[in-house]
Amino acid sequence: MADLRRSSEDGSSADLSSSTLSVWAGEGESLVQGATQVPVVYSAAYGYPDVDAWLDVALGRKPGHIYSRNTNPTVHAFEEKVRILEGADAATSFATGMAAVSNTLFALLGPGDRVVSVKDTYGGTNRLFLDFLPRVGVEVELCDTSDHEQIEAAIAQGCRLVYLETPTNPTLKVMDIARLATAAHEAGAIVVADNTLATPINQNPLALGADLALHSATKFLGGHADALGGVVCGGPELVARVFHYREITGATLDPMAAYLLIRGMKTLALRIGRQNESALRIAQWLQEQPAVAAVYYPGLETHLHHDVAARQMRGYGGVLSFMFEGGFEAVKRVLSRLRLAHRAANLGAVETVAGPPATTSHVECTTEEREAMGIPEGLIRYSVGIEDAGDLIADLTQAFAVA
Ligand SMILES: Cc1ncc(COP(=O)(O)O)c(C=O)c1O
């Protein structure tokens, strides 16, 4: 299996399934002295016997590492694993998902550029669009997420970058990546897609036409809610520009976090398979509950863009949201009764996690801003863990008794 783990050079991973790649991909060149696991390399710098050998690495003529803000063996193994699963030629990583988003946008956009995105990207990303990019002279146009004609018209007016996130957090809207990438490329724009909720097991944005796919690795990739991280994958030229920006801004992934993310990713395909199945079953069950006014999950045939989701996703993911008739007061009562869910601002973990957007994805926004984005206060985001789905439904049943 050593060759597979070096598949970055020979491309021999092409015929292996994502569950095999989750386990083996990207690790070979980092293993030392027979270790079967990637070592955590805590060294700020790397020494060389003479200046010529040092220069060879520093100038990129030979592989190796110079300084861990730039590259590190443990971090590299994590990047390789995600790169291979996303089918990308290059990848670079970050201290957090938001560092991946912000470094990508700031590396690729400058004064006078225009970016087109949608109203309900993740709350932190939305703040970049509303507060930080305009400050450096970037024009931002945020369209209605479900209105593809409006997005296409905004793109056709000319833009440097189109930023997609699908499914969205927390209302699980689905964007047609292939359709919007075609429109973006006709306008000469770069397409960036946040693939955090789908994961490379369910969806590969690059294969659908995106130029860069990014993740908050804190979520499903790591899967255990014990490490923060981010990653961007795509073609070598774009990734090199983002990497260079990160080298200088210093939002580097820590080696211990990289190790935890690698360990978590070994079970990525297993976890996602289970979470896909359980989330669909729970979404179908929720649809039958009188206290529930609406259920948002792309796997439901009633979902507005189920056809697009069915075309571009292999599974519909572990996150769903639902709305209570009783509004925010009902949400508070039900959440406090759940026994098998952390009430916490996270998603994608082995444990079920639940919370309202006001304290999770859109904590940065005011109530009015959330309403303008179509995020109702009666909403609960429910990230399904790997527990037994029947137990989760029983837990929801007892909690709904107080709604
Ligand atoms: C879709 C999405 N993108 C990016 C982020 C930011 O990731 P991080 O919290 O790792 O900075 C999040 C966090 O919830 C997210 O849900």
Side-chain angles (χ1 to χ4, degrees):
M1 290 309 266
D3 286 341
L4 158 66
R5 291 175 302 192
R6 284 197 294 273
S7 57
S8 51
E9 284 94 44
D10 59 22
S12 63
S13 59
D15 55 346
L16 294 167
S17 78
S18 55
S19 48
T20 307
L21 292 175
S22 302
V23 177
W24 289 98
E27 300 190 13
E29 56 185 280
S30 301
L31 301 177
V32 287
Q33 297 186 3
T36 61
Q37 302 305 313
V38 174
V40 185
V41 178
Y42 263 127
S43 182
Y46 304 82
Y48 289 89
D50 54 61
V51 172
D52 284 336
W54 186 359
L55 265 180
D56 277 344
V57 176
L59 298 177
R61 292 194 291 248
K62 290 208 173 137
H65 304 278
I66 298 289
Y67 187 63
S68 277
R69 169 156 49 77
N70 307 340
T71 65
N72 166 283
T74 318
V75 169
H76 179 69
F78 163 70
E79 291 166 344
E80 281 296 279
K81 200 180 270 300
V82 186
R83 180 189 74 72
I84 292 166
L85 280 164
E86 281 292 16
D89 289 329
T92 190
S93 62
F94 301 84
T96 65
M98 275 318 297
V101 177
S102 57
N103 279 250
T104 300
L105 291 174
F106 281 96
L108 302 179
L109 292 167
D113 285 340
R114 187 163 172 274
V115 55
V116 172
S117 188
V118 293
K119 288 192 179 136
D120 50 1
T121 51
Y122 167 66
T125 307
N126 186 253
R127 287 268 70 105
L128 285 176
F129 286 136
L130 295 180
D131 297 347
F132 292 98
L133 286 165
R135 273 197 214 168
V136 294
V138 175
E139 189 195 327
V140 177
E141 176 149 4
L142 300 184
C143 303
D144 281 341
T145 311
S146 300
D147 188 343
H148 281 56
E149 278 84 21
Q150 191 197 357
I151 304 170
E152 282 169 331
I155 293 170
Q157 283 168 29
C159 58
R160 170 83 58 198
L161 192 145
V162 175
Y163 187 92
L164 310 175
E165 181 184 317
T166 180
T168 59
N169 176 7
T171 48
L172 286 303
K173 296 194 179 98
V174 172
M175 308 178 72
D176 188 332
I177 298 176
R179 175 173 165 182
L180 297 173
T182 301
H185 291 151
E186 274 167 16
I190 300 164
V191 181
V192 180
D194 184 332
N195 203 28
T196 301
L197 261 69
T199 81
I201 304 302
N202 285 334
Q203 174 176 279
N204 294 116
L206 303 177
L208 295 162
D211 300 296
L212 291 174
L214 63 82
H215 292 266
S216 165
T218 315
K219 307 294 186 295
F220 288 101
L221 293 187
H224 292 70
D226 55 3
L228 299 169
V231 60
V232 174
C233 309
E237 202 211 323
L238 281 179
V239 170
R241 283 168 67 189
V242 177
F243 165 70
H244 182 56
Y245 191 85
R246 193 225 66 202
E247 273 189 302
I248 304 307
T249 56
T252 307
L253 181 63
D254 183 80
M256 189 64 208
Y259 173 80
L260 290 170
L261 295 171
I262 291 167
R263 188 168 69 164
M265 281 187 69
K266 300 228 178 208
T267 56
L268 181 67
L270 265 185
R271 286 186 279 111
I272 299 301
R274 172 68 165 245
Q275 286 164 314
N276 285 342
E277 274 173 30
S278 297
L280 181 59
R281 189 171 149 199
I282 292 168
Q284 284 164 342
W285 176 83
L286 283 165
Q287 273 191 315
E288 308 296 318
Q289 305 312 304
V292 174
V295 185
Y296 304 97
Y297 186 65
L300 292 175
E301 281 171 21
T302 50
H303 186 282
L304 190 60
H305 291 130
H306 177 67
D307 57 335
V308 179
R311 217 169 39 237
Q312 72 183 16
M313 301 180 79
R314 291 179 288 271
Y316 301 105
V319 182
L320 53 87
S321 60
F322 53 97
M323 202 169 75
F324 268 108
E325 295 281 9
F328 198 49
E329 288 310 311
V331 165
K332 287 200 276 189
R333 281 197 301 275
V334 169
L335 281 175
S336 61
R337 287 269 301 230
L338 286 175
R339 288 196 287 247
L340 296 177
H342 286 303
R343 283 157 289 272
N346 199 19
L347 59 87
V350 288
E351 302 94 2
T352 293
V353 186
T359 55
T360 57
S361 59
H362 288 72
V363 64
E364 295 89 353
C365 305
T366 62
T367 308
E368 292 72 35
E369 282 173 330
R370 278 192 295 275
E371 261 171 27
M373 292 156 95
I375 298 171
E377 294 295 288
L379 200 73
I380 290 183
R381 184 182 73 193
Y382 192 80
S383 172
V384 181
I386 60 167
E387 305 92 338
D388 180 85
D391 287 343
L392 294 177
I393 289 174
D395 189 37
L396 287 162
T397 306
Q398 64 80 27
F400 281 12
V402 297

